[in-house]
Each structure stands twice: as structure tokens, then as C-alpha cells.
Amino acid sequence: QVQLVESGGGLVQAGGSLKLSCAASGRTFSNYAMGWFRQAPGKEREFVATISSRGATTNYADSVKGRFTISRDNAKNTVYLQMNSLKPEDTAVYYCAAKVGGPMSTAYSYMYWGQGTQVTVSS
């Protein structure tokens, strides 16, 4: 079992920045690829970013490429999502997730999920 707890969400004006954190506990964190997903009201959960177990490989949704950065600190069992130039359409609940194997953009590939943290971007 891997337990994931997200933090860092909040209310920010358009153009602002937020940094989300996801702290993991349980199994060996460095064995897992990590992903960030988000879900806005009335919409399906969508992929945001993913990072390989050692941090060598990252991938982003086109909608966030160039604005968001995913990173991880395996010594701290934590994955981060730095979000810059935020837009109102980034408003959603953000979830981190863990999977064995390589980084993937499909939600069904991930075995463990956090409870989510709300990000609200005002115009």
C-alpha cells in the first residue's frame, strides 16, 4: 500500500503561481512513477503530468506544457507540481497518483491515489 497526501492548493488570481506537494508513505517511493491529474466540476479526470521513478523522464498535457513543472525528491518521498501562469481553466481538484513501472498519462494505469487538493484560479 502507498498512501498519498496532497497539499498546497488554494485560491490564486490568473497569472499567479502555486506549488502542489504530494507526500507518500508506505512502500518504497522510488519504485513508483508518479502522476498528477485534475478534475473540474462536471468533467472527467484528466492527465496533467507524470514523472518516472528516478525523475529522468517527464511528460505533460499539452494544456499545461511550458507552464507546469513536475519534480520529485525521493529522499523526502514527495512529488511536486509547480504551476505558473495559472488560468481560470486550470481550476480543478488536483490528484497525485502512483504506479509501478514507467510514467503513463492514463488514469487507469495508476494504482494509488490521494484525496485531492482544490485549486481555484480567479479571473
Side-chain angles (χ1 to χ4, degrees):
Q1 286 282 350
V2 175
Q3 292 78 42
L4 302 172
V5 179
E6 302 95 338
S7 62
L11 174 64
V12 64
Q13 289 188 331
S17 298
L18 281 175
K19 187 173 184 177
L20 305 183
S21 300
C22 173
S25 60
R27 299 287 181 90
T28 304
F29 180 68
S30 59
N31 288 345
Y32 293 86
M34 300 296 296
W36 284 97
F37 293 78
R38 66 187 182 186
Q39 189 167 17
K43 295 188 177 181
E44 293 186 353
R45 191 169 298 190
E46 66 172 359
F47 166 72
V48 175
T50 184
I51 188 167
S52 58
S53 59
R54 304 290 179 175
T57 302
T58 59
N59 191 25
Y60 298 90
D62 288 342
S63 59
V64 307
K65 202 170 293 183
R67 301 188 297 123
F68 291 11
T69 302
I70 188 171
S71 62
R72 65 190 296 161
D73 185 338
N74 285 349
K76 295 183 177 179
N77 290 352
T78 302
V79 63
Y80 305 98
L81 185 68
Q82 177 67 48
M83 306 185 294
N84 299 328
S85 302
L86 283 161
K87 305 174 181 180
E89 51 263 43
D90 294 319
T91 296
V93 177
Y94 283 71
Y95 300 89
C96 70
K99 67 177 297 292
V100 175
M104 299 285 286
S105 61
T106 49
Y108 63 78
S109 301
Y110 289 79
M111 182 177 297
Y112 303 106
W113 291 82
Q115 292 300 306
T117 185
Q118 176 71 46
V119 171
T120 302
V121 184
S122 63
S123 57

